[in-house]
Amino acid sequence: PPEDLVIKDCIDRIIETINEDQQVKLIGSSLGGLLAAKTAQVRPVSHLILINPAIIPPYMDVSTIDDMPDRILKEMKDEQLFLSKISSRIDILVGSNDDLVPNEWSIEFARAQEASLHFYHDDHRFSKNLMKLPDIITGLS
């Protein structure tokens, strides 16, 4: 459950799993997109593919965000994601009808990271393109 989540512990587990593989591509959606990006900050990977990543811009007041515990939101908000360039190639898939993660967050992160944005007429879960995601992701490689 979100209230038990510790971002640093998740990142440590991801790093332990990918170990020394230099050709790692991390794919993450929503909170998983944040975890992938934060992992790539400390452990370089070859490619990040983020789907509607829950990466909170520095100017955002997390107290205005509903449905997540305040402690988690504070851990999620990381100004360094906007100040320090991640050395990986980054592609961001954005559902233009996402009702959970504002498109502006992805645009702001993409601008800071010089990442590629790919918009799809879809929702947060990529419901309309879910079966096409393997082909979409393969096309990004």
Side-chain angles (χ1 to χ4, degrees), residues 7-80:
I7 301 285
K8 184 187 178 325
D9 292 349
C10 294
I11 294 167
D12 289 345
R13 288 201 326 247
I14 294 168
I15 290 170
E16 181 181 314
T17 301
I18 62 177
N19 204 1
E20 296 182 28
D21 187 343
Q22 297 305 309
Q23 297 304 312
V24 171
K25 294 180 184 184
L26 290 180
I27 302 170
S29 175
S30 194
L31 180 58
L34 169 76
L35 294 174
K38 288 179 72 67
T39 298
Q41 277 183 307
V42 296
R43 198 310 198 155
V45 299
S46 65
H47 192 179
L48 284 176
I49 300 173
L50 310 176
I51 305 166
N52 292 321
I55 298 175
I56 303 170
Y59 59 80
M60 188 68 199
D61 178 1
V62 294
S63 70
T64 64
I65 302 172
D66 297 327
D67 300 328
M68 281 291 269
D70 287 343
R71 180 189 64 78
I72 300 298
L73 290 167
K74 288 176 185 168
E75 283 184 53
M76 289 172 65
K77 189 173 176 182
D78 182 354
E79 187 175 28
Q80 288 305 308

